[in-house]
Amino acid sequence: KLDDMLRAVAATGVALMSHPDVRTKMAAKDALVKIKDLTCGTSDIYAYYDVASFKAQFPKSVASGKRVLKQNRGSKGVGIWVCKMKGDAKEDKE
């Protein structure tokens, strides 16, 4: 309902900070991956779009330190996990 209302407002010529179609196209978590190589990005961000790529890449990523996993939906803290290697003395101090 909100997106439909915002589309209607945008159609009248009112500039929105974030058009609903842009938000849908550039999902927040996916956007971080898309800008990772820009000066405003962080190069150690990864996206896993299937189980095979997760199994292949995540163990290497978490071996370099603590990682945060987020689902590609929602933004209320549900579906967010902090992961680290078991027995990592450096990470255990935090």
Side-chain angles (χ1 to χ4, degrees), residues 46 48 54-65 67 85:
Y46 306 95
Y48 309 105
F54 177 79
K55 285 182 175 181
Q57 298 297 325
F58 186 72
K60 298 173 198 170
S61 176
V62 77
S64 68
R67 304 302 297 174
M85 296 292 289

Side-chain angles (χ1 to χ4, degrees), residues 44 48 54 57-71 79-88 90-92 94:
D44 67 343
Y48 309 105
F54 177 79
Q57 298 297 325
F58 186 72
K60 298 173 198 170
S61 176
V62 77
S64 68
K66 191 183 306 182
R67 304 302 297 174
V68 176
L69 284 178
K70 297 180 181 184
Q71 297 179 83
I80 298 175
W81 301 273
V82 176
C83 305
K84 63 182 181 176
M85 296 292 289
K86 186 175 181 177
D88 186 334
K90 180 182 109 187
E91 295 293 340
D92 288 341
E94 295 180 17

